[in-house]
Structures are given as structure tokens and as C-alpha cells.
Amino acid sequence: MNLRGLDKSRLPKHVAIIMDGNGRWAKLRGRSRTEGHRRGKASVRAVVEMSRKLGISYLSLYAFSIENWLRPKDEVHALMGLLEHYLVVEQPRMMRHGIRLLSIGDRTRLPASVLRTLGKTVKATSEKKGMTVLLALSYSGRDDIVRMVRKIAHKVKEGSYAVDEIDEETVSAHVETQSIPDPDLLIRTSGEMRISNFFLWQIAYTELYITPTLWPDFREAEYLQALLEFQRRRRRFGLTDEQLAPAAASTETGEHQDHP
Ligand code: IPE
Ligand code: IPE
Ligand code: MG
């Protein structure tokens, strides 16, 4: 893969992806939705391995939302089967590539065999230091926040926290992502302009990248485009351009004056 134009020193530390559009990909081809999900697995492998090669530290993948449990039983069943198969097939590759797998979301709703397989992969890869893949399964951003509130409330009740001590750091430490830095870049495929209950607290200052490409078609070249676009963004975090880089900002002001 030709990575020309990519600045390896300015890569996002944490990329999060809403992997959407498998159903539409299949429909366009007169195939079953399951076939779309099956194809999506190759895209997962592509972004995981490319992230690892580039040296991205954290990759969060939204694979199944809490709301997705309401889909037709057959589709949910097929997705769970594919997920288990993915874990079985990918575990040796993860081991080889130094990838640690973690899962977030309400695991209690996962079928027992998926839970077992997931537990095995998480355990087997727990010492890997190359990259962390965070698999969001049965995840809901709001549920994450509700559970964070409960955890903190319990600690207050037990006396390990004073109410006035609760700050942003406390909240960050009690959502599921815990010590993992917030995503720098959030990618959504299939063109939908929404978050669909993925990370809420964590994306306060995340750069958003939405592409019409459907997930099964999102491979290395598309990922590279997203990373290049990320590097063209100017992250101000509420500051002014002048505060960030006085020299660069004055050139930009000059340009703006040409177009009143
Ligand atoms: C994303 O693709 C996969 C999951 C939500 C599990 P979809 O299945 O949502 O595909 P579309 O949005 O119907 O095309
Ligand atoms: C979001 O996609 C969830 C995942 C990609 C896992 P959906 O297809 O469920 O989102 P909506 O329903 O279009 O918002
Ligand atoms: Mg969808």
C-alpha cells in the first residue's frame, strides 16, 4: 500500500469506527444481509492490520449496538455466529501481530458460547502490547453513562468519594473506556450523519469523518483517505488559530483578507 502523503508522526492515537452499511451492500447485490456482514469481516481485518502496521495504539470497533438486539432473530443469530467465527479465526493473527483484544458493552446479553470465545481471546491476548482493539458489542453510549453514574454513586455511598471531588477525570475513569485516551478520529461508513448511541462522553473533541462507502467496501485505500483527511484538520480545542501557531495563523488571516 502506497502511504504517500501520510505523516507517520501525526497519526491519531485512537481511531473509532462505526462499521455501517453491510445490509445495503448486500441489497445492492441481491444478496442476504448475512452475506453483507460476512463480507464486512474482511474490512475489519484490513483496518485492524493496517492500524497495527501504522502504529495506531487503539482501535475501537462498533460491531453491535444494544438497539441491534431488536433486529430479526435470524439476523441477530447470524451476526453472533459470525462474531464467534471471527474471534476463532483471528485470535492466532492477533497473537502474531501483538494485538490485545478488549470488549466493551453489556456482555450479559451475549449468547454463552460467544461469551466463552470472547473471554478466551481476551485472556489469550491480554499481554500483547502492540495495539489494543476495543470491540463494542451490545454497546450503548447512554448505557455506558448510566453505569458510570451507578458506579460513582456506589463509591460515594461507601464513602470512597466525596460528591464535590467528582470531576471529569472521575467520570472518564468510570466509563467503559477507562484509561484509554478519547478517540482522535471517529469514522462512520455508509453516509449516516449520526452517532447511533456509540461513544458519547468520549467524543467531546473527536474529529468526525463520514464516508458514503459501505463497510464491506471500506479497505486500506479508504482508511488511508480518512487518515489523510484527519491530518488536514486543524484541531483547535476551543482556542484560536493564533494561540495554536502564531506564524501559520497570520498567513491564513492574510488569505482571508483576499476574500472579504
Ligand atoms: C452494520 O451494517 C452492521 C451492524 C449494525 C451489526 P447494517 O446491518 O446496519 O447495514 P445497513 O445499515 O442496513 O446497510
Ligand atoms: C450502528 O449502526 C451500529 C453498528 C454499526 C454496530 P446501525 O445500522 O444500527 O445504526 P442506525 O440504526 O442506522 O442508526
Ligand atoms: Mg446500519
Side-chain angles (χ1 to χ4, degrees), residues 21-22 25 28-29 39-40 43 189 212-223:
N22 296 348
W25 184 95
L28 280 169
R29 288 160 182 79
R39 288 297 181 116
S43 300
T189 57
T213 302
L214 304 173
W215 179 249
D217 291 328
F218 190 92
R219 300 287 164 89
E220 287 87 351
E222 292 281 337
Y223 191 24

Side-chain angles (χ1 to χ4, degrees), residues 37-49:
H37 297 313
R38 194 172 291 129
R39 288 297 181 116
K41 283 198 294 183
S43 300
V44 176
R45 179 183 282 179
V47 296
V48 167
E49 298 196 353

Side-chain angles (χ1 to χ4, degrees), residues 151-161:
K151 281 182 228 163
I152 296 177
H154 276 299
K155 289 191 181 174
V156 168
K157 202 171 157 198
E158 287 162 7
S160 35
Y161 272 126

